[in-house]
Each structure stands twice: as structure tokens, then as C-alpha cells.
């Protein structure tokens, strides 16, 4: 009988991405109430070396698919590989990351398997063995709570929504090497090229301080003082979609509903109005500072601290003062 | 090439948060007064993507397809004015307030089969109401098409679509054989804006209406897989402290002090 959870791991920079550990922790919470174990499926050549990481994060049983054809994500290879993992693990619930790969994989897999799918889950509750999934909708303005009626449920999990368990390298867990059995003839997508931007310095998602800029910066040169501030504070620079759409900053640095989710200790929003779709990506920041000309903007109203001024005056002054404090 | 572009009518996503209301008992959004619904923004970009291919090839046929209330005729008209060739509206009382994209996929897939001979289906990456991002890949699976999601550019080359995709940490280019399904992201760029002459011409283009029965679907075929238990507006606590100071330097110094006290510097 289908029971327990299967987490589809995601590998980034040769390691399991932080979201994988967050999903495993969420999985442990689920099986604690509804029974079963947390299975983890890892795809790609170095799957076996990564298995201990998944166990330390709380995985009970790890299926590794150590195949070079799974080193790069393609819908046409990952759907059958995930299908194989599901058929051996036989879970009631599959958790997949709400990343660009997971957003591509989860819905297709759900339709392949006749499963109900809930995207972008940020919370859940369990009562009477039934999971209720909470997700933002209407651009972050609303939350919906949904139940899935099919025997197999698939949910994608937004990063930073669940705390990982402390890594326990002494934990016991089995690893089972698997083969995906992908039918090469069914792989119709051809990868022509891929350019991934290696962020210089600290990654946006991991930075304790994020300095983000919006349309009010007036041009790409407006990001220079943001980079300077991020440098002195040991942070990373993000952007609103408006700034990315204008070509002032790369889309990989976009924060929000359709961009990255960040939850730094300090989020400094410079010349960003605070649209709900932007909030969706930074609402969990521990402290929010708004630097904006407009005291009535949503960003200012919902921040912890605000400086009402032109960023052109405020930022050089702030860089200066932070430098003084840092000595 | 024969295209179908899927369009959804949604409440204007730029509606200010203060005008955004929910009927908690009915578990639905109350339309904001005086703010007209719009074409979901990624969907106008989906139309734009199809038009760019058609322009480049000098031929092609674009059918725009929407499932929605009678008012969704407006989003079809908009796409026809942008340059699409004909419209199909699926309007059936059994389809009001659909929450589960599973239902949408079943219905749209049936319509696309009925249209027939389609080389490429283009959708938005996600609809700006429920933000699911399910319909595109769902349709691809249902119709047995190869998919490419989050397109920033699409071109047709020798019966294939070459799609530049936006990834979390960069870009990639994939080539997929037709029939194919592409979902479009905002990085595609601005959609064209209809000129008055085109708006007039759009009035003469054909819009066909279908009901579920026309598509050969019964209520059992579209039984949802999800149950909406609750819909609510989360509370944001606002306790902003506006930093005082005569000059920018003074404000910055005061802020830096606060951040230091909070151990953030
Ligand atoms: C479906 C959908 C998905 C979306 N996804 C995202 C997303 O993921 N991320 C995202 O960010 N947006 C997203 N958006 C867009 C979002 O709705 C807003 O349009 C966008 O966030 C606005 O960006 P902004 O705040 O930079 O620009 P604006 O709203 O134009 O705000 C500019 C701000 O700068 C201030 N300002 C101007 N000049 C100065 C100055 N000299 N000094 C200081 N302040 C100044 C102004 O007072 C204003 O507050 C999405 C929209 C839709 C419909
Ligand atoms: N009711 C609908 N009618 C036509 N197209 C739709 C409908 N709902 C969703 N779509 C298409 O599917 C995309 C993704 O929608 P969703 O899965 O709801 O986020 C949208 O951008 C549209 O292109």
C-alpha cells in the first residue's frame, strides 16, 4: 500500500541544494503523523556520494540513480526517472522543489501518474491523516488551503518555508542503487546550450544580508551603490522584476513570486514599491529596511525601518556609516 | 504552422492590496470595483511569441483559446486585435470558479483536439490569479507533446521549435520537435499593442463558442482532484519606524546605529 513520502532531491554545484534538506524535514513531519518513511531519490553521476548527505538530513531510504544522462535536467529524462523512483518507493506523497526544474517536472509527472498536484507550498497541517496544503495565490495577496483527493499527491515546496533538521552524520539509513531504464527513443528534447551564471561572491539565497534594487534606481548604474553596500555588509544584490525586465540586472537575481525566495536576516529594499508579487519572495526576511522617496509605498509601510529619501543621497551616506561602524 | 495560444481572463494583478477582497465563505475573490479584469499578463506574451514566429515565417494560423465566463470574449478580442486569426471560447456554467488546473487541462485539451492538426500550443508560465503554473505541462502530457517551459525566445527551425529557457541560475536553449507545447515567461519582452485599425479588424474575426457537451465532456470527466478548504488574506504586521534626521547622512547614521543594536551589522 502506498505510504510515506518521497523527496525528489535536487543537486546544485555538486551538492544537494538546501531545499532538499528542507523537504526532507517537511517529509519527516508528515510521516510522523501519517506513517511510513521518508524516501529520497537522487539523480546524476555522483548520486551515490551524495546519499549520506540525504541520510544525515533525515532521509530514511535513499534511491540513487547514478547515470550521466541525469546530470542535466531535461523533462524527458527526469519524468521517467521520477516515475521509476515512485514505482519502487510507492509513496503516498511526493515532494519536489519549487525551482525552475521542479516547476517543469511536477505538473507533467502529476498528469502522467493521475495525481493531484499542489504547487508552491509554504505550509501544511495534518488532521485525521489528511494533509492540508497552504500556498500563496493571487500574486501573494491571498493564501489557499487545499486537500488532494487522489491516492498519490504531489506537492512542490517553496524554498525557505521549512527549517532543515540539524545534519546528523551518525544517522542510519539505507541506500539502494537504481536504474531509471529511460527509453532513449522517448527523449525528444535536445539541449543545445546552457549558460549558468556563477554568482560572484555569496549566493543570493544564502546571503545573510540582501540589498535589492527596483525601478526607482533609474538605470543599470543605479545598482553600483547597492553592490558597494552589499560588499561592506557581506551581502548579495537582488532586484525587482521591473528592474530585471528593463535589463538593468540579470533575471537570475530577481526576487519574488516568479523569481528567487530569500529570507535573510536583513533585507534592504532600495527604490522598490513593494508589490505583492515582490513580497512573495522576501516576506520571510527577518528585518526589512526600505529606502524610498515615497513614505506611502507599501514597502515603507510594511518595513521594520525606513529611510525616506532619494537613494542617491541615502546610499552613499549609509555605506559611509556602515564602514565607520565596522572600523 | 498551426498555433493554439491559451489565454485566461484574470482580475488585474496590479490591483492595489487595499482593494483586494475575499469572500471567505464563498472561498473566492470579490472583483474590485472599477478595476476591469485583464488578460493574464504572461498570456499576452504567449500571443506575442506566436506572432513573432508567424511574422518570421510569413505564414501560419493562430487560434486563441480561453475557458471562462462570457466576459472572457474580451481577452479573445484583445488577442485577435494583436493579430491572432480566430478565437474559441469555452463557456459553460459547469466551469465557473474552477480552482483545479486539472479541470482546465481536461477541457482545453479536448478543445485543442477538436481544433485539430495543431503544431504548437503556447501558454503563459502561470496565470496571474491562482499562480499554478500547471496548465502548460499538464496539456503537454495530456496531448502527448514535447514541452519547453519558461521561454524567453521561441523560433521555428525545420519543423522544430528552438526555445531559449529562463532557469533559476541562467539560461538554456533546447530544440524540440513539433507538436510541442511552450510556456512563456516575462523575459520574452513586451507584447505588441493593438492599433485602432487592428481593433476594428478584430471585430470581423470569428469567435466560436463551445460548451462541455460540444467537447464531448461530462461532469465526471472533469471531477477535480483538489478541494479548496479555505481562502484568506494573510495579515501583514506593519510597525515601521521611519528613521529621523535632518540630512541623509544623519538618517544613515541613525539607521546604522539601530542595525548595530539589532546585531545586524
Ligand atoms: C504574475 C506576476 C508576477 C510577478 N512576479 C514578480 C516577481 O517575481 N518579482 C517582482 O519584483 N515583481 C513581480 N511582478 C511585478 C510586480 O507586480 C511589480 O510591478 C514590480 O515588483 C514593481 O517593481 P518596482 O518596485 O521595482 O517598481 P515600481 O513599482 O515602479 O516602484 C519604484 C519605487 O521606487 C521609488 N523611487 C523612485 N525614485 C526613487 C529614488 N530616486 N530614490 C528612492 N526611491 C525612489 C518609488 O517611490 C517606488 O516606490 C509580477 C507581476 C505579475 C503580474
Ligand atoms: N481558463 C483558461 N483558459 C485558457 N487558458 C488558460 C486557462 N487557465 C490557464 N490557462 C493557460 O495556462 C497558463 C497557466 O495557467 P495556470 O496553470 O493556471 O497557472 C496560463 O498562462 C494560460 O495560458
Amino acid at each position: 500500500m502506498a505510504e510515506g513520502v518521497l523527496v525528489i532531491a535536487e543537486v546544485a554545484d555538486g551538492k544537494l541544494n538546501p531545499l532538499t534538506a528542507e523537504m526532507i524535514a517537511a517529509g519527516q513531519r508528515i510521516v510522523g503523523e501519517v506513517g511510513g518513511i521518508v524516501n529520497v531519490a537522487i539523480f546524476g553521476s555522483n548520486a551515490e556520494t551524495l546519499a549520506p548527505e540525504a541520510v544525515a538530513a533525515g532521509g530514511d531510504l535513499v534511491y540513487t540513480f547514478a547515470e550521466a544522462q541525469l546530470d542535466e535536467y531535461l523533462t524527458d529524462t527526469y519524468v521517467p526517472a521520477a516515475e521509476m523512483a515512485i514505482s519502487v518507493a510507492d509513496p503516498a506523497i511526493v515532494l519536489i522543489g519549487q525551482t525552475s526544474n521542479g516547476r517543469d517536472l511536477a505538473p507533467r509527472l502529476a498528469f502522467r501518474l493521475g495525481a493531484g498536484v499542489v504547487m508552491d507550498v509554504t505550509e501544511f497541517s495534518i488532521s485525521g491523516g489528511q494533509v492540508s496544503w497552504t500556498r500563496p495565490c493571487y500574486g501573494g495577496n491571498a493564501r489557499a488551503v487545499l486537500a488532494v483527493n487522489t491516492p498519490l499527491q504531489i506537492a512542490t515546496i517553496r524554498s525557505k518555508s521549512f527549517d532543515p533538521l540539524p545534519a546528523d552524520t551518525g544517522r542510519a539509513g539505507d541506500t539502494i542503487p537504481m536504474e531509471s531504464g529511460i527509453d532513449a527513443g522517448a527523449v525528444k528534447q535536445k539541449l543545445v546550450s546552457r549558460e549558468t551564471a556563477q554568482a560572484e561572491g555569496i549566493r543570493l539565497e544564502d546571503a545573510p544580508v540582501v540589498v535589492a534594487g527596483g525601478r526607482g534606481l533609474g538605470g543599470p548604474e543605479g545598482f553600483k551603490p547597492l553592490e558597494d553596500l552589499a560588499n561592506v555588509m557581506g551581502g548579495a544584490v537582488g532586484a525587482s522584476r521591473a528592474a530585471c525586465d528593463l535589463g538593468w540586472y540579470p533575471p537570475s537575481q530577481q526576487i519574488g513570486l516568479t523569481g528567487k525566495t530569500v529570507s535573510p536576516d536583513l533585507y534592504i529594499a532600495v527604490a522598490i514599491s513593494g508589490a505583492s508579487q515582490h513580497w512573495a519572495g522576501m516576506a520571510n526576511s527577518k528585518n526589512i529596511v526600505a529606502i524610498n522617496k515615497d513614505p506611502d509605498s507599501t514597502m515603507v509601510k510594511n518595513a521594520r525601518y525606513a529611510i525616506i529619501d532619494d537613494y542617491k543621497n541615502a546610499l552613499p551616506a549609509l555605506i559611509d556609516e556602515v564602514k565607520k561602524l565596522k572600523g | 504552422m498551426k498555433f493554439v495560444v491559451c489565454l485566461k481572463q484574470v482580475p488585474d494583478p496590479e490591483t492595489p492590496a487595499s482593494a483586494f477582497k475575499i469572500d471567505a465563505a464563498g472561498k473566492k475573490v470579490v472583483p474590485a470595483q472599477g478595476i476591469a479584469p485583464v488578460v493574464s499578463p504572461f498570456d499576452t506574451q504567449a500571443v506575442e511569441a506566436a506572432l513573432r514566429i508567424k511574422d518570421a515565417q510569413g505564414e501560419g494560423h493562430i487560434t486563441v483559446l480561453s475557458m471562462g465566463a462570457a466576459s472572457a470574449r474580451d481577452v479573445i478580442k484583445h488577442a485577435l486585435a494583436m493579430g491572432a486569426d480566430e478565437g474559441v471560447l469555452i463557456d459553460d456554467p459547469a466551469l465557473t470558479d474552477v480552482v483545479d488546473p486539472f479541470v482546465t487541462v481536461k477541457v482545453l485539451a479536448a478543445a485543442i483536439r477538436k481544433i485539430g492538426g495543431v503544431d504548437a500550443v503556447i501558454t503563459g508560465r502561470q496565470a496571474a490569479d491562482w499562480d499554478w503554473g500547471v496548465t502548460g505541462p499538464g496539456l503537454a502530457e495530456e496531448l502527448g507533446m514535447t514541452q519547453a517551459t519558461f521561454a524567453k525566445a521561441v523560433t521555428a527551425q525545420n519543423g522544430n521549435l528552438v526555445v531559449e529557457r529562463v532557469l533559476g541560475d541562467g539560461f538554456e536553449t533546447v530544440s524540440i520537435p513539433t507538436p510541442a507545447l511552450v510556456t512563456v515567461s516575462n523575459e520574452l519582452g513586451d507584447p505588441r499593442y493593438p492599433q485602432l485599425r487592428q481593433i476594428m479588424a478584430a471585430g470581423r474575426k470569428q469567435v466560436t463558442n463551445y460548451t462541455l457537451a460540444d467537447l464531448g465532456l461530462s461532469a465526471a470527466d472533469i471531477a477535480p482532484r483538489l478541494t479548496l478548504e479555505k481562502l484568506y488574506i494573510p495579515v501583514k504586521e506593519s510597525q515601521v519606524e521611519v528613521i529621523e534626521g535632518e540630512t541623509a547622512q544623519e538618517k544613515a547614521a541613525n539607521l546604522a546605529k539601530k542595525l548595530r543594536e539589532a546585531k545586524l551589522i
Side-chain angles (χ1 to χ4, degrees), chain B residues 71-123:
Chain B
S71 64
R73 193 167 265 269
D74 291 349
V75 305
I76 290 176
K77 289 277 172 206
H78 182 84
L80 295 177
M82 283 175 73
D85 299 291
E86 66 172 286
V88 172
L89 174 64
I90 307 158
D91 174 12
D92 191 295
L95 295 171
T96 39
D97 299 319
V98 166
V99 171
D100 187 348
F102 170 74
V103 178
T104 311
V105 167
K106 285 285 170 193
V107 173
L108 295 180
I112 293 166
R113 284 195 201 100
K114 193 174 168 85
I115 292 165
V118 175
D119 300 298
V121 177
I122 308 189
T123 73

Side-chain angles (χ1 to χ4, degrees), chain B residues 5-239:
Chain B
V5 180
C6 300
L7 305 171
K8 189 173 193 190
Q9 188 178 45
V10 299
D12 190 339
E14 313 257 320
T15 303
S18 56
F20 182 82
K21 300 261 153 48
I22 277 175
D23 163 10
K27 295 183 279 198
K28 54 186 180 191
V29 169
V30 181
Q33 267 197 349
I35 304 177
V38 298
V39 192
S40 186
F42 301 116
D43 300 358
T44 47
Q45 289 173 302
V47 178
E48 176 65 30
L51 287 167
R52 286 183 195 170
I53 301 172
K54 185 179 163 182
D55 290 347
Q57 299 216 309
E59 56 166 2
H61 185 88
I62 303 171
T63 304
V64 289
L65 171 62
S66 190
M67 174 184 108
S71 64
R73 193 167 265 269
D74 291 349
V75 305
I76 290 176
K77 289 277 172 206
H78 182 84
L80 295 177
M82 283 175 73
D85 299 291
E86 66 172 286
V88 172
L89 174 64
I90 307 158
D91 174 12
D92 191 295
L95 295 171
T96 39
D97 299 319
V98 166
V99 171
D100 187 348
F102 170 74
V103 178
T104 311
V105 167
K106 285 285 170 193
V107 173
L108 295 180
I112 293 166
R113 284 195 201 100
K114 193 174 168 85
I115 292 165
V118 175
D119 300 298
V121 177
I122 308 189
T123 73
R125 60 173 290 167
Q126 65 196 61
D129 50 3
W130 282 90
D131 294 314
W132 279 116
V134 167
T135 305
L139 278 175
E141 177 66 22
E142 192 70 18
L143 297 166
M145 294 182 172
T146 318
Q147 77 189 49
T149 48
F150 315 127
K152 79 185 275 268
V154 193
T155 52
Q157 289 171 21
N158 316 321
N160 293 323
L161 291 182
V162 177
V163 183
E164 278 177 54
R165 301 184 61 224
V166 183
L167 306 177
D169 57 355
F171 303 97
E172 72 176 20
T173 304
V174 288
S175 171
I176 55 176
T178 51
L181 182 135
V182 176
T183 82
V184 167
S185 193
N186 50 289
E187 287 80 3
L188 188 102
D190 288 337
R192 64 197 66 185
Y193 209 77
Q195 306 297 312
L196 187 60
R197 185 176 48 78
Q198 295 173 295
I199 297 173
M200 309 279 286
R204 291 188 296 275
K205 292 180 182 171
Q206 190 186 338
V207 181
T208 310
N209 270 68
Y210 288 143
T211 59
L212 282 180
D214 295 330
L215 297 174
L217 292 172
S218 68
D221 296 325
I222 56 159
R225 292 175 174 177
L226 304 180
T227 306
L228 179 62
E229 298 181 330
K230 197 172 159 195
L231 187 66
Y232 65 97
I233 298 177
V235 272
K236 262 193 225 155
E237 24 191 296
S238 38
Q239 17 115 305

Side-chain angles (χ1 to χ4, degrees), chain A residues 284-295:
Chain A
N284 289 341
S285 304
K286 277 141 214 107
N287 295 277
I288 297 167
V289 170
I291 298 178
N292 202 302
K293 281 204 301 207
D294 175 8

Side-chain angles (χ1 to χ4, degrees), chain A:
Chain A
M1 197 199 83
E3 69 167 1
V5 169
L6 170 68
V7 172
I8 305 287
E10 202 169 324
V11 182
D13 303 325
K15 287 190 302 225
L16 295 182
N17 72 354
L19 177 52
T20 299
E22 294 161 23
M23 291 193 285
I24 292 173
Q28 281 296 353
R29 235 179 82 194
I30 295 172
V31 299
E33 296 212 34
V34 306
I37 60 168
V38 175
N39 304 276
V40 182
I42 308 179
F43 302 122
S45 302
N46 56 353
E48 271 155 43
T49 35
L50 297 172
E53 255 186 68
V55 173
D60 297 312
L61 181 57
V62 183
Y63 295 98
T64 54
F65 295 77
E67 297 167 30
Q69 63 180 340
L70 295 171
D71 286 347
E72 304 273 19
Y73 176 88
L74 281 180
T75 329
D76 288 355
T77 52
Y78 268 63
V79 171
E83 239 186 305
M84 177 61 84
I86 291 168
S87 76
V88 290
D90 195 21
I93 292 172
V94 180
L95 302 181
I96 298 175
Q98 175 81 357
T99 59
S100 46
N101 296 347
R103 284 164 155 150
D104 185 86
L105 172 66
R108 181 123 198 183
L109 190 61
F111 279 81
R112 173 95 31 117
L113 297 173
V117 60
V118 180
M119 304 293 289
D120 205 12
V121 166
T122 55
E123 273 175 66
F124 60 80
S125 62
I126 302 170
S127 121
Q130 172 71 39
V131 185
S132 296
W133 307 97
T134 300
R135 64 181 297 272
C137 54
Y138 286 88
N141 275 319
R143 298 284 178 277
V145 182
L146 297 128
V148 181
N149 317 326
T150 49
L152 179 67
Q153 319 191 14
I154 299 182
T156 65
I157 304 292
R158 184 184 294 204
S159 69
K160 317 275 182 190
S161 302
F162 300 94
D163 290 327
L165 301 168
D168 175 1
T169 46
R171 241 182 127 256
D174 284 327
T175 299
I176 302 182
M178 288 292 307
E179 266 171 46
S180 65
I182 293 168
D183 165 13
V187 180
K188 303 222 179 88
Q189 297 165 316
K190 252 198 234 93
L191 183 61
V192 179
S193 64
R194 177 175 287 158
E195 355 157 1
T196 46
Q198 272 307 336
E200 299 163 38
I202 185 156
R203 282 174 68 224
L204 188 56
E205 301 93 308
D206 308 332
V209 177
V210 171
V211 187
R215 179 160 29 207
L217 294 180
E221 65 287 349
F223 277 93
K224 182 70 180 74
L226 272 69
E227 284 170 353
D228 294 343
L229 181 61
N231 271 339
V232 294
M233 299 201 63
V237 176
S240 74
R241 183 177 124 183
C244 296
D245 278 353
L246 287 160
W248 300 349
Y249 226 60
S252 58
Q253 302 305 103
Q254 180 186 315
I255 292 168
L257 186 64
T258 55
K260 298 247 154 89
T261 308
V262 298
S263 61
D265 297 327
L266 178 60
Y267 189 81
I268 306 181
V270 186
I272 296 178
S273 62
S276 63
Q277 295 92 350
H278 186 78
W279 270 100
M282 42 64 71
N284 289 341
S285 304
K286 277 141 214 107
N287 295 277
I288 297 167
V289 170
I291 298 178
N292 202 302
K293 281 204 301 207
D294 175 8
D296 295 323
S297 71
T298 311
M299 189 52 87
V300 168
K301 286 194 170 147
N302 293 299
R304 176 70 191 90
Y305 302 109
I307 287 185
I308 309 302
D309 212 322
D310 193 317
Y311 83 92
K312 289 187 183 125
N313 304 325
L315 274 195
L318 188 57
I319 293 166
D320 208 40
E321 296 296 335
V322 173
K323 276 188 182 155
K324 277 189 210 159
L325 282 183
K326 291 216 155 185

